[in-house]
Amino acid sequence: MSTGALRAHLLAARLAGPVATSREESLRSYRLFAARDPRVLLGLDPEWGWGEGDLLRLMADKCGVSADPSHVSGPDVIDPERTVAALEAFAGRLREAARARSHVLFGTGHPHRLLGFYAGLAEAMSAAGCVVLTPAQGACVDMATRFGVRTHCIAYVRGVALVREPGVRAPGSATGVHSHSPLPVRMALGALAEAGEPLPDLVVGDHGWVCGAGQLGVQAIGLADTDDPALFVGEAEGRVSVAVPLDDAVRSDYYHPLARYVLGRASLTGRQEWP
């Protein structure tokens, strides 16, 4: 897939350009992050003092959102050129990991949208000789939700970790819950350490999977929307290797061309049934 075709797809699918995430949602996240609210820190413990203005300038630089603090409503905007550049860096990390036949952990807090994207990458990395890890499968953890503390269990679908409420779906079901929590990746990494097995050389995912791993010193790359400043702060502070700006909640099939592009740039073989 050419860079021009990718750019056109990003805009047509509203993965970049004007996106569904509102300016109000993004600014609210920046306020909460500046106040060190754990719901938006995603497991990151920032080293620097990040005020709302600092975050707005960072997100303007990393994503292309408006740097004007008086712009307070309407759809947010992601610069497709920044998305393309970040996907190039993302592909570069995958290429390095594939060449080294690294141990890789994939995890998502957006299973309804992004599972197929990560699963295609996991399958290609496995075919290249990497070890796709599945630690702590079936382990349960209590996580804070908007309904209070709820128990969720770690499951793996096509090599990608997600969490779901226990007993609601059969094993192997692709359905999971939307989660920002870093607790699942901490549990997964802890299970590897307790078993005396090596930690991942790379974690690929979003939300708490990336920030939680990066905070613990594991190289992590992932996707993030304009209301997820934690990944971009982690990148600025050197604990997240690559954060790709895009809308993380569009139709799942809209991410297939991105996966094809990334795998092509990483010199990996992708899924033939992708359109």
Side-chain angles (χ1 to χ4, degrees):
M1 188 179 191
S2 70
T3 300
L6 173 65
R7 187 184 300 108
H9 174 71
L10 291 171
L11 293 171
R14 295 191 65 187
L15 286 156
V19 294
T21 307
S22 71
R23 181 70 165 182
E24 295 92 332
E25 289 176 276
S26 296
L27 293 177
R28 178 179 179 273
S29 292
Y30 306 161
R31 286 194 297 272
L32 292 174
F33 191 98
R36 300 293 180 108
D37 190 310
R39 291 174 295 176
V40 295
L41 292 177
L42 309 183
L44 194 72
D45 183 13
E47 294 181 0
W48 308 342
W50 291 91
E52 292 179 47
D54 302 314
L55 291 164
L56 187 57
R57 287 187 290 273
L58 174 74
M59 298 301 284
D61 178 58
K62 296 289 188 179
C63 302
V65 304
S66 171
D68 182 0
S70 68
H71 178 200
V72 296
S73 63
D76 229 333
V77 176
I78 295 174
D79 177 8
E81 299 300 333
R82 287 171 169 83
T83 304
V84 170
L87 285 171
E88 291 281 355
F90 186 99
R93 293 299 193 280
L94 291 181
R95 183 169 56 249
E96 293 168 4
R99 289 175 177 171
R101 297 193 173 185
S102 299
H103 289 62
V104 186
L105 175 64
F106 291 85
T108 182
H110 268 296
H112 296 84
R113 309 295 185 180
L114 293 170
L115 177 62
F117 173 81
Y118 296 123
L121 304 185
E123 290 161 7
M125 295 293 280
S126 178
C130 293
V131 177
V132 175
L133 299 168
T134 57
Q137 182 160 353
C140 293
V141 59
D142 292 334
M143 294 165 39
T145 73
R146 59 181 176 171
F147 306 109
V149 176
R150 296 287 188 270
T151 299
H152 293 80
C153 298
I154 298 175
Y156 287 85
V157 177
R158 293 169 55 199
V160 182
L162 49 83
V163 294
R164 60 167 63 106
E165 294 180 66
V168 299
R169 297 290 178 186
S173 166
T175 305
V177 301
H178 178 210
S179 169
H180 286 199
S181 177
L183 296 179
V185 76
R186 292 175 186 167
M187 179 169 284
L189 297 177
L192 289 169
E194 288 176 12
E197 298 179 11
L199 294 178
D201 302 297
L202 180 67
V203 171
V204 183
D206 48 62
H207 290 174
W209 289 94
V210 172
C211 290
Q215 180 65 35
L216 295 175
V218 178
Q219 182 180 182
I221 62 176
L223 313 180
D225 210 329
T226 59
D227 61 349
D228 290 328
L231 277 82
F232 299 101
V233 169
E235 186 179 40
E237 292 189 347
R239 276 170 289 168
V240 172
S241 297
V242 180
V244 179
L246 50 71
D247 190 320
D248 59 9
V250 303
R251 280 175 34 177
S252 59
D253 57 314
Y254 288 172
Y255 298 98
H256 294 171
L258 275 65
R260 291 204 312 271
Y261 182 83
V262 165
L263 292 177
R265 304 301 281 184
S267 302
L268 296 167
T269 301
R271 291 169 56 82
Q272 297 304 309
E273 63 266 36
W274 278 336

